[in-house]
Amino acid sequence: MVFASLSFLYIFLPLNLILYYLSKNSTYRNVLLTLFSFVFYAWGEPVWILLLVFSSMVDYANALFIEKYRETKWAKLGIVSTVIFNAAILMAFKYSGFVVENINLLLGTAFEVPKFALPVGISFYTFQTVSYVIDVYRREVPAQRSPMKFLMFVSLYHQLVAGPIVRYSHIAHEIDNRKFNIGDISSGVSRFCIGLFKKVCIANVAGEMVVKYLDGDFAALSVGEAWFGLLMFSVQIYFDFSGYSDMAIGLGRMFGFHYHENFNYPYIAKSATEFWRRWHISLGTFFRDYLYIPLGGNKRFAVRNLFVVWFLTGLWHGASWNFIFWGLYFGLLIYIERLFLFKLLNRIPAVVSHVYLLVAAVLGWALFYFESLPRLGAFFEILFGVNRSGGLWDVQLTYSLRENMFWLLLTIILCLPVFHWFNRRVRRQVTKHNRAYFLLGSMALNLVLLFLATAMLTGKSYNPFIYYRF
């Protein structure tokens, strides 16, 4: 099941909210959330519930083992066990086919390539449980004694299949101490509706144009269409990822959880370094806290540490060389910025720095999109005018730009923190005398966003779920 579906919006979520708030008993609420999360996860492939539960219980036991043998040399066994176990299941289900394919290619062997169906969300929940066990070892959180509560933390459907990567320490207190708060519910509904609009009305629309320009025959693709298709993928991936994060954060608030922000207007950044402080924040901070700093950070083997992190960041996004190249591409940009470019970017006008980042990020999305390296090479030839078999510009692109002019303008505005700025200013003006008008306005906006998303979901069948690779 996905958030952007009619069955979730009008059956699953309302039923879950009604049953959840029928009782104030925290055990009832935790069990109910866990059961609903299992139903949500099992909607497509019920068998992967077993892997989720087994993986969770292994890490649950490892954390208890660490606490029992704390101050002894045996405590490290808990960490080693967790890292090896989670690396093993990721290798088996996500990377085994990629590894065997490359061994066959390199050595000329003919080993059978494993073809496991990738359990959805496996990269998210393995990182969550690894961070939990390491945090217990570091004494940052106590081990959770209740297997049911730990299973609820891992399986929460709000963030299970599309992130953000929620750390146990972020919600440990709220597992036992969530309270009904009408303000949280109201802000959660608003945040969810915004995320739903971003996913359905921006990302899906952009995605249709991506398919049109990037998945067709390159022989007829003009240079202008290649750039426009790549720009549309830059729009699709940002609004899809950030839309799902908004919906996850909104759902969390509806049920009393407060997840950390995951996207912060990355396209307004002025460097690759800043871009990654704003893009997929939960993933970036995971690699920083659990890999980069333990390896030595910028104090020991800084260059090696940087490229190890970016190699793995790329690999995390998918078992294919193009994702690895994409990760290393950003690693190289950040390395160059640290060497000299950052000082230069701080001296030149901000608009030039913004242009540098936008061009760098958009070109990077070509690496991310094309899993076929020959096709990627052919696309770059068109992009930079080396191959002009499709011409420089096609008149159909002009028509497409005219037809989507207002949608494009809205998309540009939503890439900027305009709504955030406007919302903050409006909230400053709210007093007890005009609070009712503010709430009515907020409800009206939510209904409009929900209506538009529903109309789009009803009228169109194109609704891709791009997290299947993660």
Side-chain angles (χ1 to χ4, degrees):
M1 189 181 296
V2 294
F3 300 156
S5 66
L6 298 179
S7 54
F8 178 83
L9 294 173
Y10 293 104
I11 299 175
F12 186 91
L13 180 57
L15 184 63
N16 191 192
L17 283 168
I18 291 168
L19 294 177
Y20 182 83
Y21 282 109
L22 279 180
S23 171
K24 294 181 180 178
N25 184 284
S26 62
T27 302
Y28 163 81
R29 290 181 170 182
N30 287 343
V31 170
L32 186 79
L33 266 182
T34 307
L35 290 175
F36 267 78
S37 295
F38 280 2
V39 172
F40 180 90
Y41 192 66
W43 197 262
E45 291 285 351
V47 67
W48 296 128
I49 284 285
L50 298 176
L51 180 65
L52 174 71
V53 173
F54 177 63
S55 166
S56 302
M57 289 301 99
V58 168
D59 293 320
Y60 164 78
N62 281 334
L64 291 178
F65 179 87
I66 288 169
E67 281 216 331
K68 182 176 181 180
Y69 292 100
R70 194 178 293 285
E71 309 296 349
T72 74
K73 62 182 180 181
W74 300 109
K76 286 187 177 177
L77 275 178
I79 290 277
V80 173
S81 170
T82 278
V83 170
I84 291 177
F85 172 76
N86 285 283
I89 63 172
L90 281 174
M91 176 59 74
F93 290 100
K94 186 171 179 178
Y95 299 111
S96 57
F98 175 66
V99 170
V100 173
E101 276 179 358
N102 281 279
I103 288 175
N104 286 342
L105 191 66
L106 190 65
L107 304 179
T109 52
F111 295 119
E112 185 175 353
V113 178
K115 293 181 179 177
F116 291 110
L118 181 65
V120 175
I122 189 171
S123 298
F124 289 105
Y125 71 72
T126 51
F127 272 35
Q128 284 183 210
T129 54
V130 166
S131 68
Y132 161 71
V133 175
I134 294 174
D135 286 350
V136 170
Y137 181 81
R138 290 173 172 173
R139 299 174 185 268
E140 293 179 8
V141 291
Q144 173 57 256
R145 299 286 166 181
S146 164
M148 189 279 295
K149 291 177 183 175
F150 185 71
L151 201 53
M152 183 194 70
F153 153 68
V154 179
S155 66
L156 272 172
Y157 69 84
H158 316 154
Q159 39 77 28
L160 178 59
V161 298
I165 300 170
V166 175
R167 298 188 194 181
Y168 179 81
S169 57
H170 294 169
I171 62 167
H173 179 73
E174 292 170 341
I175 289 175
D176 289 313
N177 300 285
R178 298 188 306 281
K179 294 180 180 177
F180 175 81
N181 184 318
I182 190 65
D184 270 350
I185 294 177
S186 175
S187 67
V189 170
S190 296
R191 188 68 181 267
F192 181 87
C193 289
I194 290 170
L196 182 68
F197 179 82
K198 287 164 74 173
K199 159 62 182 165
V200 178
C201 301
I202 305 294
N204 284 2
V205 174
E208 288 185 277
M209 289 187 265
V210 171
V211 171
K212 178 180 178 181
Y213 293 112
L214 301 190
D215 286 357
D217 182 6
F218 281 172
L221 187 70
S222 69
V223 174
E225 288 172 321
W227 277 103
F228 185 67
L230 190 55
L231 283 171
M232 288 301 97
F233 182 61
S234 307
V235 168
Q236 180 193 12
I237 198 161
Y238 168 57
F239 282 94
D240 203 302
F241 281 18
S242 68
Y244 262 100
S245 286
D246 285 340
M247 287 188 276
I249 292 168
L251 285 169
R253 286 183 187 167
M254 290 183 214
F255 292 93
F257 293 103
H258 295 80
Y259 305 141
H260 290 197
E261 293 295 334
N262 204 29
F263 288 85
N264 183 23
Y265 301 101
Y267 289 142
I268 68 169
K270 293 183 284 187
S271 66
T273 305
E274 185 187 357
F275 177 80
W276 272 95
R277 286 180 186 144
R278 294 173 174 274
W279 180 276
H280 212 322
I281 298 167
S282 63
L283 180 65
T285 53
F286 177 93
F287 277 115
R288 181 197 64 195
D289 295 343
Y290 299 107
L291 184 63
Y292 183 69
I293 292 176
L295 282 174
N298 57 8
K299 295 178 180 176
R300 294 179 65 246
F301 307 113
V303 177
R304 179 205 66 180
N305 301 340
L306 179 73
F307 282 99
V308 166
V309 165
W310 286 102
F311 175 89
L312 293 176
T313 300
L315 189 62
W316 181 88
H317 285 82
S320 178
W321 281 108
N322 68 301
F323 294 115
I324 295 172
F325 293 150
W326 174 74
L328 291 174
Y329 167 76
F330 271 101
L332 182 62
L333 287 178
I334 291 170
Y335 175 63
I336 294 171
E337 287 177 3
R338 287 182 183 180
L339 279 180
F340 67 91
L341 190 57
F342 206 61
K343 291 180 181 177
L344 179 63
L345 292 172
N346 283 332
R347 291 175 185 168
I348 59 180
V351 66
V352 180
S353 303
H354 284 304
V355 171
Y356 149 72
L357 180 275
L358 285 174
V359 172
V362 169
L363 289 176
W365 291 130
L367 296 172
F368 193 95
Y369 186 78
F370 292 105
E371 293 189 28
S372 163
L373 297 184
R375 193 165 170 82
L376 172 66
F379 181 76
F380 272 127
E381 287 183 359
I382 299 171
L383 205 61
F384 291 105
V386 177
N387 178 357
R388 300 183 187 179
S389 60
L392 288 176
W393 190 269
D394 189 290
V395 67
Q396 293 299 324
L397 179 58
T398 305
Y399 297 145
S400 184
L401 289 172
R402 285 177 182 169
E403 287 176 2
N404 296 285
M405 183 170 55
F406 294 109
W407 176 87
L408 286 167
L409 182 61
L410 175 64
T411 299
I412 292 170
I413 291 172
L414 292 178
C415 283
L416 305 172
V418 175
F419 177 80
H420 182 74
W421 173 84
F422 181 75
N423 189 44
R424 195 170 50 188
R425 285 184 67 88
V426 169
R427 286 181 180 276
R428 283 178 186 166
Q429 306 300 321
V430 175
T431 65
K432 62 180 181 181
H433 302 295
N434 61 17
R435 185 178 298 277
Y437 295 107
F438 174 77
L439 291 175
L440 281 173
S442 179
M443 289 172 60
L445 177 62
N446 293 339
L447 285 173
V448 169
L449 296 178
L450 183 62
F451 173 78
L452 290 172
T454 300
M456 295 282 287
L457 288 172
T458 306
K460 292 190 175 184
S461 59
Y462 184 78
N463 187 22
F465 183 70
I466 60 178
Y467 297 86
Y468 66 92
R469 290 182 294 215
F470 307 156

